[in-house]
Amino acid sequence: MPDDRPILLWFRRDLRLSDHPALDRAASSGRPVIPVFIHDEVVEGYKAAPKWRLGLGVGHFADRLAGIGSRLILRRGEALGVLQQLIEDTGAATVWWTRAYDPASIRRDEEVKSTLTGQGIEAASIPGHLLFEPWTVETKQGGFYKVYTPYMRAVWDRDVAPTLTAPSELRAPAQWPDSDTLDDWRMGAAMDRGADIVRAFVNVGEEAAQTRLAGFARNDIADYDDARDIPGQDGTSNLSENLTYGEISVRACYHAGMRALDDGKPGARTWVQELIWREFAYHLLFHTPRLVSDNWREDWDAFPWNEDERLAEVKAWKQGRTGIRFVDAAMREMYVTGRMHNRARMIVASYLTKHLMCHWKIGMHWFEECLIDWDPASNAMGWQWSAGSGPDATPYFRVFNPVSQLDKFDKDRAYVNRWIAEGQDDPHPDALKYFDAIPRHWHMSPDDDYPEPIVSHEDGRERALATYKNRDF
DNA sequence: TGCCTCTTAGA
DNA sequence: CTAAGAGGC
């Protein structure tokens, strides 16, 4: 007699029906499937914007499951205890989930797996978040890659399996276990900025992500190479938000990019290489989990970073009033939309870690607070890359000039004018939204004079380079 | 996925 | 005077 006991399908950052290997396996087993999302110790650690955005994704995904005759069971508590309770309540014999690679998730998942396995439950993680498992990519010497380009070359010609189609139905259990109500979790509670303002810029869910991918591949990917560098225009895919919550699979993106490349759209190669940057970040994080917490190159521990969040320059940077237009526009864009253009991310990171000589962790934590596309691997790698403390990092002496970058990448000032209201006769509506989104105690008004630079490019560059030159490492 | 300064060739 | 390349940070 075939096993008819339910399968618990534990969803985390994989909120989709399409190209979901664990879901596909569960659906084709013919057994009852109980999808569950747990507000657990890892979710507890999420900061304001990511937690809020995750809540939107979870709510949407519950509706998706309802559309195929299933449900999303919501429970709160430590993951292991919640799963054990659900096993007891439902008679489930199996727990499957999509594998995660950040240190907090790995700790949790290893404990869940070993404990449940010890209790006779089949507990297994199934790939689905990445194109290439981190341990399958090795240098000739047998180590992991520390430099992007050789990593990219090593994986470029690999076969990537085709995508899986979404199941049209999912067998329900004889009886559904109890579920919490999403609203009771108040996942937006820490979103004490204009969440209703940010809401206008988010793109929640699997269908929205697929529509976005199709439009990007059809209209924008050919010119991605050049257009991606212009923050005043919408030349990027904007899919990071969906990728981070698994609302679209990286495999679907990869195949769309490769098809576009075959169709003779040259920018597609660069875009696929950006997907491989994401892979590389997870590769590094898996092999060196301290990427999220410590200087990857330990000699940087001796560098005199400012680590005090209360420093006036740190506040000015966070609040978008450094007096450097490119920096302030970018910080405001992030506050209003939950996203920041990638070119701008490099510029604000260079300014914080070099001109202001502040530790990259300050920046990493603020991004984690504000970004709806927050990804633990990409965020940590990006900051260490910018600061110069990471593997394959930009050298510390490579200091972006945030003034001349405007002439290169924002010639018509479309970007800074979109996000900075002060001094404009007829400010862009988005520039005004910033003042509705920020807390009152920041005391900022569109009628203020735009501030003088707190640290000019020339002074900041000179100080940073002098400090670097005199370093004792 | 730098920026700056210096040098030199050529208009 | 400008453009382009080299080399240092």
Side-chain angles (χ1 to χ4, degrees):
Chain A
M1 183 179 155
D3 190 350
D4 210 37
R5 292 173 298 174
I7 297 167
L8 286 180
L9 208 49
W10 176 22
F11 286 91
R12 298 102 59 89
R13 293 170 80 98
D14 50 343
L15 306 176
R16 66 179 180 275
L17 302 180
S18 306
D19 197 31
H20 191 302
L23 172 63
D24 183 74
R25 193 190 292 186
S28 46
S29 74
R31 291 162 57 186
V33 178
I34 302 173
V36 53
F37 182 88
I38 306 172
H39 189 309
D40 64 11
E41 60 271 36
V42 170
V43 174
E44 212 67 65
Y46 283 17
K47 298 205 195 154
K51 190 185 260 190
W52 169 74
R53 176 59 179 79
L54 175 62
L56 297 179
V58 168
H60 186 92
F61 185 58
D63 294 341
R64 288 284 286 171
L65 282 168
I68 58 168
S70 186
R71 289 187 194 180
L72 185 61
I73 300 301
L74 307 177
R75 292 284 177 101
R76 185 165 191 154
E78 218 167 295
L80 176 60
V82 167
L83 289 168
Q84 286 173 317
Q85 185 66 52
L86 278 166
I87 288 163
E88 198 179 313
D89 293 350
T90 64
T94 300
V95 184
W96 287 337
W97 62 87
T98 301
R99 189 170 298 152
Y101 306 86
D102 58 291
S105 298
I106 288 176
R107 258 196 311 278
R108 172 196 63 191
D109 295 351
E110 281 179 347
E111 193 200 352
V112 165
K113 185 172 179 173
S114 64
T115 307
L116 293 183
T117 304
Q119 294 170 345
I121 301 293
E122 190 213 341
S125 69
I126 294 168
H129 196 62
L130 299 177
L131 297 170
F132 314 110
E133 295 302 290
W135 49 88
T136 65
V137 187
E138 284 189 341
T139 64
K140 294 270 189 309
Q141 279 73 268
F144 66 96
Y145 281 94
K146 301 174 185 72
V147 181
Y148 170 73
T149 303
Y151 173 86
M152 189 271 291
R153 292 209 178 100
V155 299
W156 181 261
D157 289 322
R158 287 198 179 190
D159 286 330
V160 172
T163 55
L164 303 162
T165 52
S168 53
E169 60 185 333
L170 207 53
R171 188 177 156 198
Q175 193 166 13
W176 284 103
D178 292 340
S179 172
D180 291 355
T181 302
L182 186 57
D183 287 346
D184 292 342
W185 285 355
R186 296 178 35 78
M187 293 181 79
M191 193 65 179
D192 58 354
R193 64 214 73 194
D196 51 331
I197 294 169
V198 185
R199 184 71 184 86
F201 293 91
V202 305
N203 196 45
V204 178
E206 184 170 8
E207 312 94 305
Q210 286 172 355
T211 303
R212 198 176 245 183
L213 174 61
F216 175 72
R218 190 172 52 244
N219 304 322
D220 305 314
I221 201 170
D223 194 34
Y224 176 76
D225 239 336
D226 298 318
R228 69 177 178 137
D229 262 332
I230 312 298
Q233 69 189 52
D234 205 9
T236 69
S237 74
N238 287 309
L239 282 164
S240 55
E241 168 193 357
N242 308 109
L243 275 167
T244 198
Y245 298 105
E247 293 170 349
I248 197 162
S249 73
V250 66
R251 202 154 62 171
C253 296
Y254 172 88
H255 286 304
M258 286 311 217
R259 272 195 302 276
L261 190 58
D262 286 345
D263 289 347
K265 297 177 174 172
R269 177 183 299 274
T270 308
W271 190 66
V272 172
Q273 288 179 0
E274 294 297 313
L275 297 176
I276 296 176
W277 265 104
R278 174 179 174 277
E279 297 288 315
F280 182 55
Y282 274 101
H283 179 81
L284 284 177
L285 179 59
F286 178 80
H287 290 288
T288 49
R290 63 192 167 77
L291 182 72
V292 297
S293 51
D294 299 288
N295 291 317
W296 196 89
R297 296 177 190 274
E298 289 173 29
D299 46 4
W300 279 88
D301 292 353
F303 193 77
W305 303 109
N306 165 64
E307 300 196 41
D308 187 351
E309 296 262 357
R310 295 164 305 177
L311 192 76
E313 284 90 336
V314 172
K315 275 191 175 168
W317 180 80
K318 288 182 180 175
Q319 296 176 355
R321 50 173 157 192
T322 64
I324 304 290
R325 306 184 84 87
F326 214 149
V327 173
D328 293 341
M331 299 306 289
R332 295 179 188 196
E333 178 191 26
M334 177 164 72
Y335 210 81
V336 173
T337 69
R339 285 205 298 270
M340 189 192 292
H341 191 278
N342 187 56
R343 163 102 353 225
R345 293 188 198 208
M346 292 188 284
I347 290 166
V348 302
S350 175
Y351 189 75
L352 182 71
T353 57
K354 295 172 186 181
H355 300 80
L356 300 184
M357 293 211 337
C358 290
H359 202 289
W360 56 267
K361 277 197 265 184
I362 290 177
M364 182 181 76
H365 289 143
W366 184 244
F367 272 31
E368 185 175 348
E369 171 82 16
C370 297
L371 285 174
I372 56 158
D373 69 2
W374 173 69
D375 175 291
S378 296
N379 197 36
M381 183 188 68
W383 275 98
Q384 297 229 45
W385 181 87
S386 291
S389 62
D392 192 24
T394 183
Y396 189 80
F397 53 72
R398 191 180 283 171
V399 180
F400 283 77
N401 180 332
V403 180
S404 65
Q405 288 271 315
L406 273 184
D407 289 328
K408 285 185 190 153
F409 300 112
D410 193 33
K411 277 194 187 35
D412 57 3
R413 301 297 187 266
Y415 185 64
V416 289
N417 287 336
R418 181 177 174 195
W419 295 112
I420 296 177
E422 295 95 320
Q424 294 200 51
D425 294 335
D426 186 19
H428 192 289
D430 288 340
L432 293 173
K433 280 180 192 158
Y434 179 66
F435 299 90
D436 298 326
I438 59 176
R440 198 161 297 175
H441 70 263
W442 287 10
H443 300 297
M444 293 174 73
S445 150
D447 302 324
D448 294 343
D449 289 333
Y450 183 68
E452 289 299 311
I454 53 168
V455 175
S456 72
H457 168 62
E458 290 73 20
D459 293 350
R461 178 174 194 272
E462 201 178 331
R463 183 177 64 166
L465 291 182
T467 310
Y468 179 71
K469 210 171 132 185
N470 297 329
R471 74 198 184 282
D472 52 4
F473 60 88

